[in-house]
Amino acid sequence: MKIAAQLYSVREFTQTEQDFAETIKKVAKIGYAGVQLSAHSPKISAEFIAETCKANNIVVASSHAPPARILNDTETLIAEHKLYNSPQIGLGMIPEEYRADLNGIKKFVADFLPAAQKIKAAGLNFAYHNHEYEFGKFDGKFIMDYIIEGFAQADLQVILDTFWVQAGGCNPVQWIEKLAGKLQKIHFKDMAIVDRQQRFAEIGRGNLDWKNIIAACKKSGVEWVIVEQDDSYGENPFDCLKISYDFLAANI
């Protein structure tokens, strides 16, 4: 499995071309083979992103694209990902207006399925990233299952997030096994408990069962492990990315 960095982790350092270029250099120097695009300034052109990543031997493994762009600017988004030589367009979470009930989930699928099918027809794949919300239930069934089944015609991929599976009261290993074949990329994110609160942590510094998570990923055919730490709590986020990378490089 290859290791990528989710650029949301360093989003404060991707808002200008100069900062973006420096960030890609730092990520490459740590040892990461790729990145997932997310939260960078929309003023940075796709051409600049593609050239900068290529110059640093960094693969654009995936993205988190804004929902409005997936819905209304699908063709341009596809063209950008082909420029990146990236096979996957990801959605970070179901927009809030769809979350209230099962009818909302069905409307979400109905609204986004045509875009997902366009992405598939273009030779790319549409991927969904979870938070804890998807492990709630409607009528005794996980919301995540409704989403996966709803997008079956588009061959939905899932970017499973280990922290949020755990936060949702479920077992990351079980969901990795369940999603075999739909799990090209996965978010590795550790969970620590500080002052009785769940807290993001560098990989290996929290409480998740990495030995069995990594084994399940290998068995399920995961291609890319994507490291994300939503909050570094005042620490240098590049230092956090290095701690996580070093742990994974020694254990994958």
Side-chain angles (χ1 to χ4, degrees), residues 46 172 192 212 241:
N212 285 314
L241 283 178

Side-chain angles (χ1 to χ4, degrees), residues 8 21 30 56 62-64 72 96 130 174 205 216 232 246:
Y8 186 80
I30 290 170
N56 290 277
S62 183
S63 70
H64 273 176
N72 304 316
E96 187 172 359
N130 66 278
Q174 290 177 353
R205 291 196 167 184
S232 53
D246 290 346

